[in-house]
Amino acid sequence: MGEAAAADVANHMKQLLSEQDSIRMVFAAAPSQNEFLHALVHTEGIDWSRVTAFHMDEYIGLPADAPQRFSQFLQERLFQLVRPGQVHLIDCSSTVDEECERYSKLITEAPIDIICLGIGENGHIAFNDPPVADFNDSFVIKPVELDLPCRQQQVNDGCFPAVDAVPTHALTLTIPTMMAGKRLFCMVPGPTKREAVTRTLHDEISTACPATILRIHSNCTLYVDADSYEGGRN
């Protein structure tokens, strides 16, 4: 799945770079993205110097050198390896309001060409959990309180030893910001994501399962594996 998604993302990047001077991309940081990122890093023929990269969320309150920080995750698995021309990391060391203003300006300077994302066990996209998800959000990026299923997922993924160790708040790109991306590639592997994938595909479009909104995007591809797709073993 990761290799297939990486091949499609790489091909789209190359196509865009043949048509325009640069491209702007947003990446998710999660174990579900590992295989995709590994394959993308090893894809030849991409001029990363013409890529401006962002990420979609970050914990509030973790030390700057904490390995669980999403900025650290993407630095190690992608940015330090391919060296994009520009990398804009969410910095929670300043005040929340200041960082939201700074990052909003960076995100909205020009359209986002590609967003590479996943879906959480509770159906979230970025950190837009059901209690805080807003399909008509007026913000570009905002602080949110993480719900318990989201925090438990971080333990299930092996990122934290227990729920109590998972930060309770984060900054996240909002759903309208995500939906404004011109091309979305959504990678969702693993048995713990099967219910979320099923709900994304079949539930009523609502914030009860935020990822359902992806169904109305004009150019979004969902990548699943035999474990995450309900019909994968039939």
Side-chain angles (χ1 to χ4, degrees):
M1 186 213 73
E3 291 177 357
D8 288 349
V9 170
N11 286 336
H12 190 58
M13 291 175 68
K14 293 174 184 178
Q15 178 63 37
L16 290 179
L17 288 169
S18 73
E19 301 168 351
Q20 56 197 59
D21 292 337
S22 62
I23 57 176
R24 290 160 56 85
M25 300 180 67
V26 176
F27 292 93
S32 65
Q33 307 295 298
N34 282 345
E35 291 80 12
F36 158 69
L37 292 174
H38 177 80
L40 186 63
V41 164
H42 289 89
T43 302
E44 297 181 351
I46 300 173
D47 184 358
W48 283 94
S49 69
R50 295 161 59 198
V51 176
T52 297
F54 302 86
H55 62 127
M56 59 185 58
D57 44 23
E58 185 60 272
Y59 293 115
I60 295 173
L62 283 182
D65 59 350
Q68 297 95 339
R69 285 176 64 97
F70 293 145
S71 55
Q72 184 70 17
F73 179 99
L74 286 170
Q75 289 275 46
E76 294 176 353
R77 290 166 176 79
L78 181 64
F79 300 150
Q80 292 175 356
L81 303 176
V82 298
R83 301 291 182 180
Q86 295 184 65
V87 175
H88 297 298
L89 302 176
I90 300 172
D91 179 8
C92 291
S93 63
S94 58
T95 70
V96 166
D97 288 346
E98 289 173 338
E99 183 56 12
C100 286
E101 181 179 0
R102 184 189 74 89
Y103 215 70
S104 293
K105 289 179 179 178
L106 291 170
I107 287 284
T108 57
E109 278 180 351
I112 299 296
D113 296 293
I114 299 172
I115 297 183
C116 302
L117 70 154
I119 296 173
E121 293 177 17
N122 64 355
H124 72 217
I125 50 176
F127 264 149
N128 296 283
D129 294 331
V132 299
D134 183 351
F135 292 163
N136 299 300
D137 215 312
S138 60
F139 296 102
V140 174
I141 181 173
K142 68 179 182 180
V144 293
E145 182 175 359
L146 306 179
D147 71 1
L148 185 58
C150 174
R151 294 173 68 213
Q152 181 61 52
Q153 179 185 324
Q154 314 311 313
V155 179
N156 298 346
D157 285 347
C159 301
F160 293 89
V163 170
D164 289 346
V166 182
T168 59
H169 292 75
L171 292 181
T172 183
L173 298 185
T174 61
I175 289 175
T177 303
M178 304 279 287
M179 293 294 286
K182 294 181 180 180
R183 183 74 170 87
L184 273 54
F185 297 88
C186 185
M187 288 67 80
V188 195
T192 62
K193 300 294 182 69
R194 178 172 287 208
E195 180 180 356
V197 168
T198 300
R199 295 185 65 195
T200 296
L201 294 173
H202 301 295
D203 278 12
E204 177 185 1
I205 296 175
S206 79
T207 55
C209 178
T212 53
I213 195 67
L214 297 174
R215 300 210 309 262
I216 71 170
H217 193 279
S218 62
N219 208 348
C220 176
T221 303
L222 175 66
Y223 297 83
V224 296
D225 62 10
D227 290 324
S228 63
Y229 179 56
E230 62 180 344
R233 296 193 182 279
N234 294 338

